[in-house]
Amino acid sequence: MLGRSLTAARGFCPSNSDKIVASVLFERLPVVIPKIDPVVYAFQEFSFRWGQQFRRQYPDEFLKKSDARGKGDYQIDYVPAPRVTEADKSNDKRSLQRALDRRLYLLLYSTAFGAPNGKPVWHFPEKVYESEETLRKCAESALQSVLGDLSHTYFVGNAPMGHMVIQPTENAHDLQRLKRFFFKSQLIATNKFKIEKCDDFVWVTKDELLEYFPEQADFLNKMIIS
């Protein structure tokens, strides 16, 4: 009995006057190394040339031995993957095979809680908190309902990365005040998902994401560090 009461005491208890929503910032990390900033490249080039002035001179016999290494039947010719893909050329935002040197974030187009007049809008995977043990559990349920399972996802931490309070608009006085908590999750070991329960979806960079939410752009720009 005591154990049950302690568990219940640790549960998340929202205010009766507010609706709590757990949103998921589902992120695909860069697949290829991002391009080096010109200033950083110039500094690295300068550092290399400066170091060359004081480098140790090795005997020619030693250099010949090092050049001979790696040559044989087992040698594999390495061809780097292209930075610009077909999805980049066609601007296919439904594909994960785009912007390989950038982080991508999943957005859904469907009816969301708090949307004006119940019309479809662009939003993050989300779920209204009901009876889940924690907010993270609620966020996991939100993402699982879209992806089908969480086998290729990794939630970063147990606490939300940010939250915002949305007041009812003049045209929606009947709606409750909304508190949205954001959790970060990352894609692991796959490049294709079957996205469900939405009319449309896109994988967008941070700059593109801000264009979908002009009213919250300042908040999202500070919350998303990439």
Side-chain angles (χ1 to χ4, degrees):
M1 183 66 69
L2 178 60
R4 292 182 179 178
S5 63
L6 288 176
T7 302
R10 294 175 182 172
F12 185 78
C13 184
S15 170
N16 292 331
S17 60
D18 299 330
K19 273 291 184 182
I20 306 297
V21 174
S23 296
V24 182
L25 190 72
F26 192 40
E27 174 184 61
R28 188 218 68 186
L29 296 174
V31 178
V32 299
I33 299 176
K35 292 183 178 179
I36 301 176
D37 185 272
V39 176
V40 177
Y41 180 82
F43 175 76
Q44 292 179 344
E45 183 71 12
F46 168 78
S47 299
F48 174 77
R49 294 186 180 277
W50 180 265
Q52 287 292 93
Q53 301 179 48
F54 308 101
R55 71 184 180 90
R56 181 178 178 182
Q57 187 69 34
Y58 290 98
D60 293 338
E61 295 79 7
F62 179 83
L63 295 178
K64 289 180 180 179
K65 290 181 179 180
S66 64
D67 291 340
R69 292 180 179 179
K71 294 182 179 180
D73 296 336
Y74 57 85
Q75 186 175 0
I76 300 175
D77 293 330
Y78 170 73
V79 179
R83 286 182 172 272
V84 180
T85 65
E86 292 299 326
D88 287 315
K89 296 176 182 178
S90 61
N91 196 29
D92 182 9
K93 294 183 178 180
R94 293 169 60 94
S95 173
L96 277 166
Q97 299 300 311
R98 63 180 295 266
L100 298 182
D101 60 343
R102 304 283 302 277
R103 296 170 186 254
L104 293 182
Y105 304 94
L106 176 64
L107 295 180
L108 309 175
Y109 185 73
S110 63
T111 303
F113 183 83
N117 303 320
K119 295 182 179 179
V121 295
W122 287 104
H123 63 92
F124 299 96
E126 63 182 22
K127 183 181 183 298
V128 176
Y129 175 79
E130 295 174 345
S131 58
E132 291 85 0
E133 182 180 355
T134 63
L135 263 180
R136 170 170 162 165
K137 291 290 185 182
C138 183
E140 290 176 354
S141 297
L143 190 58
Q144 185 173 2
S145 67
V146 175
L147 304 181
D149 68 87
L150 301 178
S151 58
H152 292 288
T153 67
Y154 171 72
F155 273 80
V156 183
N158 293 315
M161 61 186 296
H163 92 284
M164 63 191 310
V165 179
I166 302 176
Q167 302 289 348
T169 61
E170 297 180 356
N171 299 328
H173 289 294
D174 55 327
L175 294 178
Q176 295 174 272
R177 189 174 67 163
L178 177 64
K179 290 184 178 180
R180 177 172 280 118
F181 292 82
F182 292 89
F183 288 80
K184 176 183 282 191
S185 181
Q186 295 175 338
L187 178 151
I188 297 177
T190 188
N191 57 12
K192 192 173 183 180
F193 277 112
K194 183 179 180 181
I195 310 297
E196 301 176 338
K197 296 187 178 180
C198 64
D199 299 330
D200 199 1
F201 67 91
V202 290
W203 291 95
V204 294
T205 64
K206 177 181 176 179
D207 295 335
E208 294 169 340
L209 183 149
L210 299 180
E211 297 176 0
Y212 284 82
F213 305 99
E215 296 180 358
Q216 294 88 32
D218 185 59
F219 167 80
L220 294 173
N221 185 47
K222 294 178 181 178
M223 184 184 72
I224 303 174
I225 301 176
S226 62

